[in-house]
Each structure stands twice: as structure tokens, then as C-alpha cells.
Amino acid sequence: MVIADIAALSTVHVSRVLHALQAARLITLNRGAAAVPQPAPLIAFAGFDPGYLHLPDHAARAKPEPSAGIRRDPVPWAGSNRDLGYASRT
């Protein structure tokens, strides 16, 4: 998996995260390609701050409003496998 190689993460981890984002309807997966049909909900979910990229002022002001339909739980990959719906194997 190219994303896993680029990010130096395991393919299992990347696969679980991508499927969790797909289940949350934030991305679509089709034939090995991930697409973001509506960037604003994914941006709101991730808490992305355009200032992080030192973008021009007009881009920084375009920060989207959080969507009421987005759950602001901790990101699934920051916790344990249980956050992704996988049972512990201990």
C-alpha cells in the first residue's frame, strides 16, 4: 500500500484507518484509490488549521465551520484497536 510506505506505517494500520474514514462517510474507496467527495466534513473532523501550512491570508480565512453531523470523538487511529471496532487480541 503506497500510503503506508510513504507514511512509514503498517499496511494493516492504514487499511483500518481508511476503512474507519469510509464508514464515517468522510472518504470513498474504489479500486485502491481514496477520494474525498466533500473536503469540508473531513477538514472539520480532522480539526485542520490552514495556518499550519502558512497559507496566504485569504486561504486561512476560508476555514470551514464544523458540521453538526460530524462526531468529534478522538480520532480512531490515536487510540486502541477497540476505537476502530476491533477486539483486543490479548
Side-chain angles (χ1 to χ4, degrees):
M1 181 178 285
V2 176
I3 295 173
D5 291 340
I6 290 171
L9 298 169
S10 75
T11 56
V12 172
H13 177 74
V14 171
S15 178
R16 288 179 177 174
V17 170
L18 289 174
H19 284 96
L21 291 172
Q22 182 181 32
R25 299 181 189 264
L26 295 172
I27 66 168
T28 59
L29 300 173
N30 187 17
R31 296 183 183 199
V36 181
Q38 296 179 344
L42 183 59
I43 290 169
F45 175 79
F48 177 72
D49 176 13
Y52 172 78
L53 297 176
H54 305 286
L55 297 173
D57 288 339
H58 67 280
R61 285 193 301 266
K63 187 174 181 179
E65 294 296 320
S67 172
I70 302 291
R71 289 178 43 194
R72 290 298 299 165
D73 294 340
V75 290
W77 51 89
S80 67
N81 287 340
R82 289 178 301 201
D83 296 333
L84 292 171
Y86 296 96
S88 174
R89 295 182 188 231
T90 56

